[in-house]
Amino acid sequence: MRHDGRTALVTGGARGIGLEIGRQLADRGLRVLVAARRPEAAEEACRAIGPAAVPLALDVTSARSVTEAVREARELTGGIDVLVNNAGVSLDGDLRPPYVDEDVLHATLDTNFTGAWRVAQAVVPGMVEAGYGRVVNVTSSYGSLTLMDSGRRPAYRISKTALNALTRMLAAELYGTGVLVNAADPGWTRSGMGGSSAPRGPREGADTPVWLATLPEGDETTGGLFADRRPLAW
């Protein structure tokens, strides 16, 4: 498959929403780096996506892994134009605040928030240098301060609140550089995390992240939180 010269890196790209994001980006002509902790999982996903997909071993919880993976990605493609921070975990289930084990809290933040920060820190400088970039942080309305109340999955929710804050800070810092930074809520989607009873399929869940990842040159949409391509309150 031919590609338009743009390269996208999708973390957590081996299954669920991440796999579908990669598939849709490839369908739009991008080369897709499918990043996953297990190389064999990334390779299997690439076979499902097609020849535009390239497997990449990347563990967002390891600074060394991120550095090495981004270096390999640049050697393979010349640069990364689009970053979709999709890797995420939900470990606290039905627990409610303040009753969450600290190990669960730390592990959740390390993947969902710090992991996204690590990858952005490694990728964004190259985007700024090139004068073009799209960063999409896959988040959840569970992290919205406007909608925040008590409830289950407190560690997961806090991690997405922090990811939303990072989105806004990055967007403001990079304003005018050609790098657009936005957050996408895919909705409750059937996946390893969302479960089989979710009302949406991966195709619907991937739509808004893919839309933000492919905003055309000259677009100034940045610093926003979107669901179904419509703005949501932070």
Side-chain angles (χ1 to χ4, degrees), residues 77-158:
T77 67
I80 297 168
D81 308 290
V82 175
L83 168 61
V84 182
N85 276 315
N86 172 71
V89 296
S90 179
L91 305 174
D92 46 353
D94 292 325
L95 297 177
R96 292 173 178 268
Y99 307 107
V100 175
D101 184 275
E102 280 196 24
D103 289 341
V104 169
L105 176 61
H106 292 159
T108 303
L109 287 167
D110 198 25
T111 297
N112 296 1
F113 169 58
T114 313
W117 190 316
R118 286 188 186 101
V119 182
Q121 185 168 262
V123 170
V124 164
M127 293 179 171
V128 173
E129 185 177 347
Y132 175 93
R134 303 289 181 265
V135 178
V136 182
N137 293 323
V138 179
T139 186
S140 170
S141 59
Y142 265 22
S144 167
L145 285 173
T146 302
L147 304 175
M148 192 70 70
D149 56 13
S150 181
R152 45 197 297 272
R153 298 189 181 184
Y156 175 79
R157 296 171 78 181
I158 288 292

Side-chain angles (χ1 to χ4, degrees), residues 9-15 18-19 33-46 54-66 68-69 72 86-91 106-108 110-112 115-116 118-119 192-193:
L9 169 60
V10 182
T11 68
R15 63 192 178 108
L19 175 59
L33 297 165
V34 178
R37 285 176 296 177
R38 295 189 301 112
E40 58 271 24
E43 291 164 3
E44 183 178 349
C46 288
V54 179
L56 189 68
L58 190 157
D59 179 357
V60 301
T61 67
S62 164
R64 180 176 179 179
S65 174
V66 170
E68 292 178 351
E72 179 184 350
N86 172 71
V89 296
S90 179
L91 305 174
H106 292 159
T108 303
D110 198 25
T111 297
N112 296 1
R118 286 188 186 101
V119 182
M193 186 183 299

Side-chain angles (χ1 to χ4, degrees), residues 137-185:
N137 293 323
V138 179
T139 186
S140 170
S141 59
Y142 265 22
S144 167
L145 285 173
T146 302
L147 304 175
M148 192 70 70
D149 56 13
S150 181
R152 45 197 297 272
R153 298 189 181 184
Y156 175 79
R157 296 171 78 181
I158 288 292
S159 73
K160 293 302 185 180
T161 304
L163 183 61
N164 291 348
L166 175 62
T167 302
R168 294 193 63 172
M169 292 169 65
L170 267 181
E173 181 67 23
L174 300 175
Y175 186 79
T177 65
V179 182
L180 306 180
V181 186
N182 292 286
D185 175 10

